[in-house]
Amino acid sequence: MTQALTPRPQTSPALEFEEEFVAGLKSIFEEKIVFNQLLGLKITSLKAERVTARIDMRHELVGHYAYNRIHGGVISAGLDAMGGLAVMAAIGARHMDEAPLQRLQRFIKLGTIDLRVDYLRPGISEYFELRAEVLRLGSRVASTRMEFLGADGKLFSTAAAAYIVS
């Protein structure tokens, strides 16, 4: 049974990123990573403990013409991108003592080491919500878990990944 991502209990007030950091991270994720642009990935929430984004269904994303369902490659690429975004947010939160632009430079070496996707049901929806959180951020490797949901909140896919961070 798959458990939905639930925020962990906070021992201190939720961390808020500066506008400059948020704008810079959105620019990297939505514009500079051109493949994310092709997928139509748009960040909807950027928190240290959890990130969310949205993909609107378009004809170019259809994987099965008879059912108008989203292609599995879009799902896996979107989940991988979200895991990376969650790691970026966690790294940004870890180094709040640095200036926003300095923290944005820390993502240069970030890359996927391993990705596992579980496809639970066909992805048929007008749009999709993607969620990700970091389970562990080490000095060299980060572990994440992600979810891919339909407009009605139904869980379509889950993923777990590892990323090199240094």
Side-chain angles (χ1 to χ4, degrees), residues 5-153:
L5 296 181
T6 54
R8 295 194 178 104
Q10 297 288 320
T11 55
S12 59
L15 175 71
E16 291 291 327
F17 291 123
E18 310 92 327
E19 286 182 32
E20 184 180 7
F21 181 78
V22 171
L25 195 47
K26 281 188 174 187
S27 173
I28 290 168
F29 187 79
E30 295 178 354
E31 298 165 21
K32 293 180 180 170
I33 302 173
V34 179
F35 191 67
N36 290 351
Q37 209 173 36
L38 181 72
L39 294 174
L41 263 168
K42 296 289 182 188
I43 296 172
T44 55
S45 175
L46 188 60
K47 305 287 182 198
E49 64 280 353
R50 184 186 209 181
V51 295
T52 61
R54 176 179 165 140
I55 294 177
D56 291 325
M57 186 59 182
R58 310 185 317 271
H59 176 72
E60 297 82 9
L61 304 179
V62 170
H64 194 294
Y65 66 92
Y67 298 104
N68 200 39
R69 67 181 176 223
I70 196 162
H71 192 284
V74 174
I75 295 171
S76 64
L79 290 171
D80 183 24
M82 290 301 293
L85 179 64
V87 173
M88 290 179 196
I91 291 170
R94 178 178 278 180
H95 298 281
M96 289 297 285
D97 57 319
E98 298 175 356
L101 290 177
Q102 187 178 359
R103 279 183 279 151
L104 292 170
Q105 295 300 312
R106 289 184 167 273
F107 311 140
I108 292 171
K109 295 181 181 179
L110 182 67
T112 308
I113 298 172
D114 185 54
L115 174 68
R116 176 194 164 85
V117 178
D118 292 313
Y119 300 94
L120 307 174
R121 58 181 51 92
I124 301 170
S125 187
E126 61 186 84
Y127 68 87
F128 304 93
E129 180 179 330
L130 295 84
R131 302 176 185 164
E133 67 181 10
V134 173
L135 301 174
R136 182 180 184 282
L137 178 60
S139 61
R140 302 209 17 95
V141 175
S143 299
T144 63
R145 70 176 174 181
M146 299 80 79
E147 295 178 334
F148 192 92
L149 303 99
D152 61 357

